[in-house]
Amino acid sequence: GQNIDQPTEMTATEGAIVQINCTYQTSGFNGLFWYQQHAGEAPTFLSYNVLDGLEEKGRFSSFLSRSKGYSYLLLKELQMKDSASYLCAVSVNDMRFGAGTRLTVKP
Amino acid sequence: EAQVTQNPRYLITVTGKKLTVTCSQNMNHEYMSWYRQDPGLGLRQIYYSMNVEVTDKGDVPEGYKVSRKEKRNFPLILESPSPNQTSLYFCASSLGGLMNTEAFFGQGTRLTVV
């Protein structure tokens, strides 16, 4: 089967750093994506990792370890607008999503 | 502007009344797909299409049909909707057939079947 697991909910404080973990077991791997989704809106692309290591893009970074089936999304200098769901997705022959992590940023 | 357009955004219908949700993209993408999103279950793929006239089932295809007669359009058809198909639906497209490029999502269609 295909499993993509991430925590259901997280809470963090404005200005802080938060790490959202994702573990996966899939039959095949063409890369791992992170998407952001605000309530009632469409998911939007944040990052893509296909090789091991850290990809940095502004306040957001994403890490991948293929041997461990593990990724994380790191959000720095949290802002209130970062309150959203964060979706981990693995590309196999198609795109498979985790259930998402709802992040709440508090003042 | 590069976009994926879904219609309608909201739809309330009755059990058994056939409906179609349209999806169109203007980016000349080969790959298109349909997802449904339910609380606690995340995005689950219904059908996907690698190119014109090529479609495949995703994880939850029962009760749905699709067609890909032209590259830009990928309509989702519910021949006989039932209440368990009440959900938020997203269409997505991407450039690469192996999904190694980012997906662009439509704004979603909130469907209620009573």
Side-chain angles (χ1 to χ4, degrees):
Chain A
Q2 320 260 25
N3 289 318
I4 301 172
D5 295 312
Q6 47 183 135
T8 304
E9 292 190 30
M10 297 183 73
T11 302
T13 304
E14 192 176 14
I17 300 173
V18 70
Q19 178 175 311
I20 302 174
N21 296 324
C22 172
T23 57
Y24 64 91
Q25 288 180 303
T26 55
S27 56
F29 181 84
N30 292 321
L32 188 141
F33 294 82
W34 284 95
Y35 286 85
Q36 180 190 58
Q37 186 180 24
H38 285 99
E41 298 183 9
T44 55
F45 170 79
L46 285 178
S47 69
Y48 170 66
N49 294 69
V50 66
L51 300 175
D52 291 353
L54 189 68
E55 293 280 343
E56 296 187 81
K57 190 186 293 186
R59 295 189 298 115
F60 293 4
S61 304
S62 57
F63 172 84
L64 175 67
S65 169
R66 289 172 297 171
S67 61
K68 295 182 179 178
Y70 169 69
S71 173
Y72 67 72
L73 179 69
L74 193 71
L75 292 76
K76 302 176 187 175
E77 300 169 14
L78 280 172
Q79 301 175 9
M80 299 298 290
K81 68 178 182 180
D82 297 330
S83 291
S85 289
Y86 292 85
L87 313 180
C88 172
V90 177
S91 172
V92 190
N93 289 327
D94 50 14
M95 185 86 86
R96 298 187 171 270
F97 285 83
T101 299
R102 185 185 301 173
L103 173 67
T104 301
V105 180
K106 296 187 173 180
Chain B
E1 179 189 357
Q3 61 185 6
V4 179
T5 304
Q6 283 178 240
N7 279 298
R9 292 288 311 278
Y10 302 92
L11 179 61
I12 300 174
T13 190
V14 296
T15 299
K17 185 177 181 181
K18 181 179 178 180
L19 67 92
T20 299
V21 184
T22 63
C23 175
S24 180
Q25 51 94 4
N26 63 1
M27 295 168 279
N28 201 36
H29 285 170
E30 292 183 349
Y31 188 100
M32 296 185 75
S33 59
W34 276 103
Y35 295 88
R36 60 178 289 173
Q37 188 173 37
D38 302 290
L41 296 177
L43 284 163
R44 293 182 292 167
Q45 191 172 62
I46 304 171
Y47 269 95
Y48 64 97
S49 170
M50 296 279 197
N51 213 325
V52 176
E53 302 291 1
V54 180
T55 62
D56 277 297
K57 295 178 180 179
D59 291 329
V60 288
E62 293 77 21
Y64 304 94
K65 285 186 178 179
V66 292
S67 69
R68 190 88 182 275
K69 292 186 171 63
E70 48 190 343
K71 206 170 191 178
R72 65 182 293 125
N73 295 323
F74 191 44
L76 179 69
I77 303 154
L78 285 72
E79 294 270 0
S80 182
S82 61
N84 64 13
Q85 292 179 298
T86 292
S87 188
L88 178 60
Y89 292 85
F90 287 102
C91 177
S93 75
S94 70
L95 185 61
L98 291 179
M99 290 300 289
N100 57 351
T101 56
E102 69 176 280
F104 292 81
F105 286 82
Q107 288 305 298
T109 296
R110 190 168 291 280
L111 172 66
T112 302
V113 184
V114 297

